Amino acid sequence: MELLYEGKAKRIYSTKHQDEVICEFKDSLTAFNGEKKDTQKGKGALNLAITTLIFQELEKAGIPTHLIRKLDNTKQLVKKCEIILIEVVVRNIAAGSLAKRLGLKEGERLPFTIVEFYYKKDELNDPLINDDHAMILNLVKDRKELELLREYGKKINTFLIDFFDKAGMTLVDFKVEFGRDAKGNIILADEITPDSCRLWDKKTGKKLDKDIFRQDLGDLMSAYKEVLQRISQ
Ligand code: UDP
């Protein structure tokens, strides 16, 4: 196993197969583009369990993903893909940067689901971009691919709203990333975890996601454990 890449939350290793890599989930936590940092022992394992379960269900629902199988507590075998440098954010309720930028109240339900694109570029602080920007930066082949990213984003949203609702949680917003596999197909990559979603308890509104870390709201690990426990039932 050779380390191919190390990011803020993951390490990627090569395997004997050219089209497969191992993805290891780290215990580190970052926010505000890496300005705020922490480590929580066991967070990687919790997130791996959560994302594996969700990706398996998404595959069944017709969304192609990079997941092959879970290997151990912190590692999964995934299809090697070239990551598209766009963060696809889907929002149902105003929160975070949207609430701040447009002056909306956190918790305000949006009249319809919105999809946003952010350019994955740390040096630029991941700026919000439109379709024209994505085209001039050559982030996709053509506008049809942007439409596909939007469609997948919405389809994942429809699935996740119901999935989390059944587990007593409201899906506020989330971020997904896509990659191109060896055949050139666009597939869901990265993760879907409480690091990349906003999840609120349906009854109390209690936050069960990374906002606990961003806003110093208390014990992150017990919230993530609760998310895993609720979706595992
Ligand atoms: N998000 C993420 N990674 C990022 C930026 C955002 O996973 O680099 C997720 C975030 O957890 C939330 C959604 O995308 O569920 C929308 O985030 P927002 O734009 O409100 O950004 P933030 O509040 O992180 O500034």
Side-chain angles (χ1 to χ4, degrees):
M1 262 179 22
E2 183 202 338
L3 182 66
L4 298 176
Y5 166 84
E6 176 155 7
K8 284 178 275 193
K10 292 180 202 82
R11 287 187 197 96
I12 305 290
Y13 301 93
S14 63
T15 68
K16 278 183 283 182
H17 299 277
Q18 213 190 317
D19 298 343
E20 299 176 2
V21 290
I22 291 169
C23 177
E24 181 186 18
F25 281 58
K26 304 202 297 190
D27 286 339
S28 50
L29 267 160
T30 60
F32 312 117
N33 199 21
E35 268 173 47
K36 184 169 175 164
K37 288 190 195 115
D38 193 15
T39 303
Q40 294 277 337
K41 201 171 178 314
K43 198 225 34 161
L46 279 173
N47 272 355
L48 181 78
I50 293 168
T51 197
T52 302
L53 210 154
I54 293 174
F55 274 47
Q56 281 167 345
E57 293 302 316
L58 282 171
E59 281 277 356
K60 285 186 213 158
I63 305 279
T65 80
H66 71 164
L67 179 67
I68 300 171
R69 65 176 179 276
K70 188 174 161 179
L71 296 174
D72 63 27
N73 271 350
T74 58
K75 294 188 206 75
Q76 57 181 197
L77 186 66
V78 300
K79 288 182 198 156
K80 188 173 185 173
C81 59
E82 180 201 333
I83 292 288
I84 295 173
L85 295 179
I86 296 178
E87 297 196 337
V88 179
V89 169
V90 184
R91 304 179 184 268
N92 300 302
I93 293 174
S97 71
L98 178 80
K100 202 169 160 194
R101 186 163 9 92
L102 301 187
L104 300 175
K105 218 172 123 236
E106 183 184 77
E108 209 173 299
R109 184 162 280 283
L110 303 174
F112 51 88
T113 297
I114 63 170
V115 181
E116 297 170 339
F117 295 146
Y118 291 83
Y119 178 26
K120 234 174 104 67
K121 187 94 175 163
D122 283 343
E123 305 92 280
L124 298 177
N125 232 333
D126 297 351
L128 177 68
I129 55 169
N130 65 21
D131 287 33
D132 288 341
H133 299 149
M135 292 302 296
I136 61 164
L137 290 169
N138 293 313
L139 303 182
V140 284
K141 276 204 305 249
D142 50 34
R143 288 178 195 267
K144 265 203 206 149
E145 283 196 344
L146 291 172
E147 272 321 307
L148 184 61
L149 297 184
R150 269 198 193 90
E151 260 175 55
Y152 277 153
K154 286 187 189 162
K155 209 168 160 191
I156 294 166
N157 184 52
T158 304
F159 170 85
L160 289 179
I161 287 176
D162 181 57
F163 178 81
F164 287 121
D165 182 75
K166 284 181 184 140
M169 292 174 274
T170 305
L171 176 68
V172 175
D173 57 30
F174 64 93
K175 182 262 312 177
V176 277
E177 294 180 24
F178 295 87
R180 223 178 286 281
D181 69 10
K183 291 181 195 137
N185 296 317
I186 291 184
I187 59 176
L188 178 65
D190 195 47
E191 64 179 292
I192 297 181
T193 66
D195 275 0
S196 64
C197 299
R198 285 195 170 92
L199 296 167
W200 295 348
D201 181 82
K202 234 162 81 176
K203 286 204 192 95
T204 65
K206 192 175 96 174
K207 290 177 178 166
L208 296 166
D209 55 65
K210 200 162 97 173
D211 273 348
I212 297 171
F213 169 65
R214 291 191 190 95
Q215 303 169 4
D216 294 313
L217 298 177
D219 184 13
L220 180 107
M221 287 297 285
S222 62
Y224 281 33
K225 275 180 203 155
E226 195 172 327
V227 170
L228 176 60
Q229 198 184 9
R230 287 195 196 186
I231 65 171
S232 302
Q233 275 162 13

